[in-house]
Amino acid sequence: MPSAPALVASFETSASQIAECPQDDVLEIAFVGRSNAGKSSSLNRLFGSKRLARVSKTPGRTRLINMFTTSVGFRVADLPGYGYAKASRREQDAWNAAVDTYLEQRHNLRGLVLVIDARHPLKPFDQNMLDWAVRRELVVLALLNKADKLKRNAQIRTLAEVQRSTAACVNVTVQLFSAATGLGSEAATDWLRQFA
């Protein structure tokens, strides 16, 4: 059986608020996570490009809602990360408000890819995002990124711990992942293909 073609994405637009996002019915998947979880690197890995989403050594560089069109029809929204950014409190509050509005009001949002640092899983932001997504009946892929920085036994323990914590959430899939090495990439792209 031939393998599925690679997922490819291209930049569409950036928006500072929901009113600037494309006004259509194209299904969207949002990438969310804390500023230092490796969200942009994960997006780049899954869509086979080192330059799709801007990656910086300084966490928190994503300051707009960046939209990408995919080769299989859905759109990806790369949202500003929460916390850690070297920016004024006023700037951070503005980004967080834009993200909250997008998540609450975007009618074509169907799922989330929640990028979590595997070394520090289920921080309050991660748990709040999962709880919110479950209430909204969105499907969620929780990527335990940076799993390559853990020994194998620690990877297994972390995965089991997060799976236990989300066991009651029927629409949440949890998996080990590494944007750096590609660990878990195939399973993650398979998850994304359900929206094609």
Side-chain angles (χ1 to χ4, degrees):
M1 178 195 244
S3 60
L7 286 180
V8 178
S10 58
F11 177 76
E12 182 174 355
T13 191
S14 291
S16 61
Q17 54 189 335
I18 193 170
E20 298 170 0
C21 293
Q23 301 301 307
D24 54 32
D25 293 318
V26 175
L27 184 150
E28 289 176 4
I29 306 302
F31 275 63
V32 296
R34 287 185 54 80
S35 295
N36 54 350
K39 184 170 50 64
S40 295
S41 298
S42 298
L43 198 155
N44 286 345
R45 169 62 74 171
L46 293 175
F47 288 94
S49 170
K50 293 182 179 178
R51 304 176 73 177
L52 182 64
R54 183 176 175 189
V55 177
S56 171
K57 291 182 181 177
T58 305
R61 294 307 293 250
T62 303
R63 299 182 179 199
L64 298 169
I65 299 170
N66 293 311
M67 300 287 200
F68 302 91
T69 303
T70 71
S71 56
V72 290
F74 64 86
R75 180 184 290 125
V76 169
D78 182 17
L79 304 184
Y82 272 75
Y84 198 83
K86 289 187 178 180
S88 71
R89 188 73 201 165
R90 185 174 164 196
E91 284 180 300
Q92 289 188 51
D93 288 346
W95 306 337
N96 292 346
V99 169
D100 290 345
T101 302
Y102 171 88
L103 292 171
E104 289 291 344
Q105 298 182 15
R106 193 67 172 163
H107 72 278
N108 41 348
L109 178 63
R110 294 293 179 271
L112 299 179
V113 176
L114 174 59
V115 182
I116 300 170
D117 188 328
R119 300 167 300 175
H120 313 287
L122 293 184
K123 293 291 187 186
F125 165 78
D126 303 322
Q127 191 61 62
N128 291 342
M129 187 58 68
L130 284 169
D131 294 344
W132 173 84
V134 167
R135 284 196 306 275
R136 179 120 187 248
E137 299 183 345
L138 297 176
V139 292
V140 179
L141 174 61
L143 290 181
L144 300 176
N145 191 30
K146 305 185 183 181
D148 58 295
K149 297 182 183 295
L150 298 175
K151 294 189 184 305
R152 184 65 186 148
N153 285 342
Q155 289 178 355
I156 293 167
R157 278 195 308 273
T158 300
L159 179 62
E161 172 192 330
V162 178
Q163 286 176 329
R164 247 190 327 273
S165 297
T166 59
C169 309
V170 294
N171 292 330
V172 176
T173 301
V174 182
Q175 71 170 83
L176 294 170
F177 185 77
S178 170
T181 68
L183 171 70
S185 294
E186 189 172 340
T189 53
D190 285 347
W191 184 90
L192 286 166
R193 286 180 197 284
Q194 72 182 294
F195 302 102

